[in-house]
Each structure stands twice: as C-alpha cells, then as structure tokens.
Amino acid sequence: MQSEENNEPGSMESKEKSSGLPAIDPINVIVMVKNDDVPESTKNRKCFILLIVLVIAGALLAIIGGIMFPVVDKYIKEEVKQRVVISKSSETYDIWQDVPVPVYMQFYIFDIGNPEEVKKGKTPFLKQVGPFTYREHRTKYDIVWNANGTVTYKQNRTFNFEREMSAFGEEMEITTINPLVATIAQNLQWLSGALKIGLSLALSTMNEDIIMTRPVHELLWGYDDPALSFLHRINPDAFTTVNIGYFIRKNYTDDGVYTVHTGETDIQKLGIITNFNGADQLDIWTTPWANMLNGTDGTLGPPFRFDAEFSPVFVSDICRSIKGVYKKDVETPQGIKLRRFGGDHRDMLNATENPDNIGFCTPQTNCLPSGLLNSTLCQEPVDGFQLPVIFSFPHFLYGDPAVQKSVEGLRPIEEEHQTVLDQEPWTGLVLQVAKRLQINMYVKKVPDIGQTHDIQSLYFPIFWLNESSVVDDHWANKLKNDLFKPMHYATIAKISLIVVGGLLVLVGSFVLLMRRFFTAKTKSNQRGSNLSPSSRDVAYDKPVEDDERVSMISNSTLEEERMNGRGSIETYDGHWYDPETYDADGNDSISAAIQNTSEKQPLLQNTHEKRTLNLM
C-alpha cells in the first residue's frame, strides 16, 4: 500500500512535467460518491420540486380569483338587465304592472286649538292629529308599447282605510280652515265692495265661515258643500261641482299619462320619464328649466348606480321634479343594503337665494318665501275657481323662519319630515320610499267679506301626508335568493381562491427560504466537525485553479458537490481526485490535477492522511 501511494504522486508529477506545468507540492483531493446517500438526495429534490409546484399552483389560484371579479360582475349585470327591463317577458313585469308591495298613505291633520282667537287676528295654535292610515293600491292600465323603447300607461290609485294602523277613526272631527271660503275670498277679492258684501251675506245664510269643523273622511274624500249645492241649483251648467275635499279627485283615479323608457335600448334610461300627459315638458311654470321633466316616477330607476349622487324624481302631485340628493346608506328590515336619496333644500329656496327657482314664481313678480311652492295652477279648478293651495315640506321644513313662526305647534325635524327614496343600487328597484308633503291654504283678510274677519294673512297648514312603502319579507327573500345569494357565493369563491392561492405562495416561499438557510447552516457545521483541529485551524476559503476552471473549496463548493449527488471529499497525499474525470484505476488526464501555487496556504495540514468531508 505504501508503495502504491508513493507511485501515484510520481505518475502525477510526470504528467505535470510532460505538460509543461511547474513541479510543486500539490494537494490532491478525491471526490467520491457514496451510493447509500443518493436516495436521501433524491428525496430532497422531490421536496424541492413539490414546493415549487405549490407556489405555482397558489399563484394560478390567486390569478383565477382575480380574473373572476370582472367576469362574474359582467355575468351578474347581464342577468340583472334581463330581469329588470320593462317587458312582458321580464321577471319584474308583474311587480311593475300591479305593485304587490304594500303602499300606505298616512295623513297627519292640524287641528286649530283657538279658532275664535284666530278670527280676531291671533296666532293659530295647531295640534297635529294622526296618523290616519290608508292602504294604497296601484295598478297600471292602458299600457301601450312604443317602437322607440318606451311604454305609455296610466296608473289607477285606490285608498282603503286601515283602522288598526291609525291613531283614530275617520269619524274624528277636526277644526280647520274652510277651503271654499278661502278660495272664494282669494278669487273674488277684485270685485266691487257691494258685490263682495252681497256674497258675504249669502255665505252667512248657509253658515259658511273661514273656520269649520268636519270629520276626517269628509275633509279628505269630500262632502257636499252648502254653498256649492245652492249655486248648482241656481245654475247647474256653471256650477257643476257640489262636492269638495282635498283628495276627492285622487281616489279611484289616475294621476296622468306617463311615457317612460323600458330599458331595452339603453338600460341606463330604465324608468326615466320622457312624456307626461302627452308632452315632453310641462306648461305650468314660467321658465323652460322649471317645466323640465326629470327623473323617474319613484318606483323604478336605472340599475348599477353604486356611486350616484343624485336620483331625480318627478312628483305629479306638485307638478315638478325634485332633485334627490344622496344622503347615506341604509338597510331594509331584511338586511338588504340601499342608497338613500333625500330632498334638496335648494329646491325650495326662493328666487333670491336660488335664481333657478324664478320659474316657479307665478307670476315671476310674485315669488313666495323659501320653503313654499305655489301650486295653484297645478290643481284642477273647482267650478272655475283656482284653489289657493301652497305646498311645502311637513312643518315647513327648509322654510323661511318667518313662515315657521307664523303658527304655533310646528316642530320641523329633517329625519321625520324630509322626503326619502331608498334605492337598491344593483337593480335600481326602490325598496323603501317616504314621500312627505304638506298641504297649506293661503288665507287673508279681504275687505267687505265678513267671513275673513280680522284673520292674519298667512300660509295655513291643513295636513301633511306620508306616502310610504317598505318591501315585505316575501319580495325581499325573492330578491335575496335570485340575486344576492348567488352574488354572495360568487364573492366567497373569488376571495377564497385569492386567499388560498396567496397562502400557498407565501407558505411555499417561506419553506423554500428556511430550507435553504438551515441546509447551508448544517453543512457548515458538518464541515467543521469532520476536519481535524489542526486542519480547521488552517483551512481557508481560497480558490484552487486548474488549467480551464476556478473552483472554491468552501461552503459554496461543498453545497455544489452535494447537490450533484456526491457524498464526500477525500484528501489523499495532496491530490484532487475528481470521479468525473478519473477512471476506475485512478488514472486521469492533466486537466484533473489541481495545482496550488506557492503563495496559497495548504487546505489541509496533514496531507499524508486520508480525510473524508461529509457533505450530506
């Protein structure tokens, strides 16, 4: 053995000399493969590949989840379009044609607590009485489908008293302003004194006065007025009406002929009114802007209004459009999220504060204080007499302070007295609405008409109404099951894919990094433990060069050899033996001999001993 070991270096030296390399004392190292270590390396490679696959799979899942957001949203929007468009084949047609959701009309009537003092010019003291609640039924009829993507219809409205939802019965009597006397005084104030005196005497014989007391159902739905009955008997052609009441022409009737977009040609115009009573604008007010038809009828609007700041509504009762302004997000009792739109106080400012409202002054030289709307021309005349009806928000909300203080007993509260419309943004369906409106009569002292006494000229509150609707459980659950549950499940699926994919990427990447860190640390410790103390003291991280390559006997070299499946490095008499270039007998070409220059320190101190450096 000793001679073999001595001959091997000699043969190497001869090869070096023949190649022209300088004769020096080399350090020869043999890299040997241990077959029993290969399976463990294979396992490590499989683990590495598995982690890479997990990271790639996680990234794909996250990408798919991200792609699903626009794809699913587009699919849902297409489904919504098909369901909400107004057509005989759409799912919402029956709801649109015959509204099944309960609609209630509540009346809060003001009772005069000091009628005799009011006649003498004192400030009225009012007490709110109510609610008197009626169930409202709406049915569309005379439906005509137009070729331009619109539909024309009328809507019949009927009201039925709901005693269980009312504070009192309809028979309760209320003391309030007599609308006939107020109307006659306003319309005939330009007559001569003699004629007015004669008129006043005639009214007195029929017990007509500026203040009267009547049951609620008569005030609302009409009663036979003594004066009108007398005039009708004298001249039935001129005086055709004997009944008078604030809602006498609202029950069992329609409020006009509507033409609206169906949404078939443009879904963003769904429900938008194009014509009212055959015209594309009104002819009541004094400017084109005031006569514009804007918005919907307050039951159905365009879908996908997630960030809309305005939702205008045309209110036929007051013959004008109201610009609904976004207020806040709310929910139905069933938990469906809605966007709330409410009345804009600027709509009720007078022309001095909001010049756009000059068109609502009739005539333009006679503008009312802020908070009031002169609707005389909006009401159908009674036997040729224009009704001096003034609209406002309840309790003169947003009204001029002087108007609010003209009577006692009013407490305007925005949350209770503003008009609100709660719209579901995906479908455009109005699931909650509260249209609140106050009816006032303008009264004033007219000389020579004794019934007006010494009464103050003021806008006298008669009652305010709350026309409201809240989606019931049946239709809320149908909407949830048909739309929101599939949307919810789709959202969960999208988020789950992104979360699971992200976790796989994070966990896989973390394990890969930790594995590399601990592997490097373990190999460093093993290298140190397998070297002799003297060898560890003089081992350096210096390059060893051959004729065509540079190798580093260091952590990086050891790691590289380990990854190539080599189990150990053996040092043997200062030679480097590379199993890839050595044959079975240990013979090698000159390229396998790694030379040390005289400047380099030996890697191993004891070159005559065989040392094995474990790599695994």
Side-chain angles (χ1 to χ4, degrees):
M1 287 293 296
Q2 184 66 33
S3 61
E4 292 176 1
E5 294 176 0
N6 292 334
N7 291 334
E8 191 173 343
S11 62
M12 292 293 293
E13 291 176 1
S14 63
K15 292 179 180 179
E16 292 169 357
K17 291 179 180 180
S18 63
S19 62
L21 294 174
I24 58 176
D25 294 331
I27 295 177
N28 299 326
V29 182
I30 300 175
V31 179
M32 303 179 67
V33 177
K34 291 187 177 182
N35 294 329
D36 57 347
D37 288 336
V38 174
E40 185 67 26
S41 300
T42 302
K43 292 180 181 179
N44 289 336
R45 285 196 298 273
K46 290 182 177 179
C47 180
F48 176 78
I49 294 173
L50 178 61
L51 289 173
I52 294 297
V53 170
L54 288 177
V55 171
I56 295 174
L60 289 176
L61 288 176
I63 292 172
I64 292 173
I67 294 175
M68 282 182 66
F69 273 93
V71 172
V72 173
D73 287 350
K74 183 178 180 180
Y75 172 78
I76 292 174
K77 287 183 177 181
E78 291 299 322
E79 286 293 309
V80 169
K81 289 179 183 179
Q82 295 180 10
R83 296 187 181 191
V84 301
V85 68
I86 303 175
S87 70
K88 290 184 177 181
S89 60
S90 68
E91 293 186 13
T92 57
Y93 175 77
D94 291 338
I95 302 175
W96 173 81
Q97 190 270 330
D98 189 357
V99 180
V101 178
V103 180
Y104 295 99
M105 182 75 81
Q106 296 176 307
F107 296 93
Y108 297 85
I109 304 178
F110 294 107
D111 184 71
I112 303 175
N114 57 339
E116 296 303 320
E117 293 180 355
V118 171
K119 294 177 184 178
K120 298 176 181 178
K122 301 296 183 181
T123 299
F125 178 79
L126 305 180
K127 179 182 178 182
Q128 177 177 291
V129 181
F132 299 91
T133 304
Y134 295 81
R135 171 69 185 271
E136 180 179 350
H137 297 269
R138 297 183 177 185
T139 304
K140 294 179 176 66
Y141 66 102
D142 288 349
I143 300 173
V144 178
W145 303 96
N146 304 311
N148 62 349
T150 63
V151 59
T152 301
Y153 62 88
K154 296 179 181 179
Q155 183 169 246
N156 186 65
R157 301 163 68 189
T158 59
F159 299 89
N160 297 287
F161 185 64
E162 296 285 341
R163 180 63 183 85
E164 295 76 11
M165 301 179 66
S166 303
F168 307 96
E170 288 182 295
E171 68 281 357
M172 184 175 184
E173 293 191 337
I174 300 293
T175 300
T176 184
I177 292 295
N178 186 331
L180 178 66
V181 173
T183 300
I184 290 177
Q186 181 70 16
N187 282 265
L188 302 181
Q189 60 179 312
W190 317 113
L191 294 177
S192 64
L195 290 176
K196 287 189 289 185
I197 292 174
L199 176 63
S200 177
L201 292 174
L203 291 174
S204 297
T205 60
M206 290 176 280
N207 296 319
E208 297 280 9
D209 203 348
I210 191 63
I211 296 177
M212 67 178 187
T213 300
R214 286 193 177 274
V216 169
H217 68 86
E218 290 187 1
L219 292 175
L220 296 177
W221 311 112
Y223 59 92
D224 291 341
D225 185 82
L228 290 178
S229 298
F230 175 76
L231 293 173
H232 177 71
R233 289 194 299 269
I234 296 175
N235 189 348
D237 293 332
F239 299 95
T240 60
T241 302
V242 297
N243 297 97
I244 188 170
Y246 290 101
F247 261 62
I248 192 172
R249 297 175 182 176
K250 303 294 185 182
N251 202 7
Y252 298 101
T253 59
D254 64 85
D255 59 342
V257 182
Y258 291 84
T259 299
V260 304
H261 283 284
T262 63
E264 287 185 319
T265 58
D266 186 352
I267 196 64
Q268 289 304 314
K269 293 182 179 179
L270 175 65
I272 300 296
I273 299 172
T274 62
N275 293 80
F276 181 68
N277 289 333
D280 59 0
Q281 63 179 4
L282 303 174
D283 60 355
I284 295 174
W285 312 110
T286 58
T287 63
W289 184 88
N291 280 315
M292 290 177 63
L293 289 171
N294 294 318
T296 69
D297 64 354
T299 60
L300 177 68
F304 319 131
R305 295 172 58 81
F306 306 107
D307 302 310
E309 293 297 324
F310 303 100
S311 183
V313 176
F314 174 72
V315 183
S316 61
D317 292 329
I318 61 176
C319 301
R320 67 163 293 182
S321 297
I322 298 294
K323 180 177 63 178
V325 179
Y326 172 74
K327 298 292 185 179
K328 61 181 179 180
D329 288 348
V330 296
E331 290 186 357
T332 68
Q334 300 82 11
I336 300 176
K337 295 182 178 180
L338 310 173
R339 289 175 61 82
R340 169 162 291 180
F341 298 88
D344 185 3
H345 75 282
R346 289 184 54 82
D347 286 339
M348 301 302 291
L349 294 176
N350 64 17
T352 302
E353 299 181 73
N354 183 4
D356 289 338
N357 288 339
I358 187 66
F360 299 111
C361 300
T362 53
Q364 291 191 3
T365 57
N366 183 28
C367 292
L368 301 184
S370 292
L372 303 177
L373 178 67
N374 185 357
S375 66
T376 299
L377 298 179
C378 182
Q379 308 303 310
E380 188 174 343
V382 176
D383 290 336
F385 293 111
Q386 297 289 345
L387 301 178
V389 175
I390 307 297
F391 285 123
S392 70
F393 284 116
H395 289 240
F396 292 132
L397 178 69
Y398 306 139
D400 189 298
V403 175
Q404 293 178 346
K405 295 177 182 178
S406 63
V407 297
E408 295 183 8
L410 302 185
R411 300 290 185 272
I413 302 173
E414 185 175 49
E415 193 66 24
E416 296 181 10
H417 299 140
Q418 68 171 338
T419 292
V420 295
L421 181 147
D422 301 337
Q423 193 172 36
E424 199 288 307
W426 273 98
T427 61
L429 295 174
V430 177
L431 302 185
Q432 294 181 163
V433 64
K435 183 178 72 176
R436 295 162 177 147
L437 187 67
Q438 182 167 298
I439 309 299
N440 310 280
M441 292 291 291
Y442 179 65
V443 297
K444 61 181 293 187
K445 177 179 172 60
V446 178
D448 299 322
I449 296 181
Q451 282 74 16
T452 59
H453 303 279
D454 292 320
I455 196 170
Q456 296 185 38
S457 296
L458 50 80
Y459 305 98
F460 210 106
I462 306 301
F463 63 85
W464 69 274
L465 60 86
N466 177 26
E467 188 177 22
S468 61
S469 176
V470 178
V471 64
D472 57 15
D473 291 340
H474 171 75
W475 292 105
N477 291 332
K478 180 175 176 58
L479 190 60
K480 283 184 176 181
N481 294 330
D482 292 349
L483 178 62
F484 297 120
K485 279 189 177 180
M487 286 175 56
H488 179 66
Y489 295 148
T491 301
I492 291 177
K494 292 182 291 187
I495 295 176
S496 298
L497 286 174
I498 293 176
V499 171
V500 172
L503 288 176
L504 288 177
V505 172
L506 291 176
V507 171
S509 301
F510 177 76
V511 173
L512 282 173
L513 291 174
M514 295 304 296
R515 180 177 178 274
R516 187 167 186 85
F517 172 77
F518 284 112
T519 299
K521 184 175 181 180
T522 301
K523 298 314 156 192
S524 177
N525 293 338
Q526 288 180 347
R527 183 187 64 177
S529 62
N530 288 332
L531 293 174
S532 66
S534 60
S535 298
R536 288 194 297 271
D537 291 340
V538 296
Y540 289 92
D541 216 16
K542 290 181 177 293
V544 180
E545 302 178 281
D546 64 6
D547 55 331
E548 293 180 353
R549 64 179 179 174
V550 177
S551 298
M552 185 78 73
I553 302 180
S554 64
N555 286 341
S556 60
T557 302
L558 298 177
E559 176 66 13
E560 180 182 356
E561 299 302 330
R562 182 190 67 76
M563 294 298 295
N564 291 331
R566 294 178 173 84
S568 65
I569 294 177
E570 290 192 359
T571 64
Y572 192 79
D573 286 343
H575 285 81
W576 173 299
Y577 292 97
D578 189 343
E580 296 181 356
T581 57
Y582 274 78
D583 57 23
D585 297 329
N587 299 319
D588 187 23
S589 63
I590 191 61
S591 63
I594 310 299
Q595 304 298 320
N596 284 329
T597 63
S598 59
E599 292 84 16
K600 294 184 174 62
Q601 297 291 335
L603 176 64
L604 299 176
Q605 182 72 18
N606 300 319
T607 59
H608 294 288
E609 296 182 5
K610 185 177 181 179
R611 299 295 183 193
T612 300
L613 305 181
N614 291 327
L615 298 179
M616 297 299 184

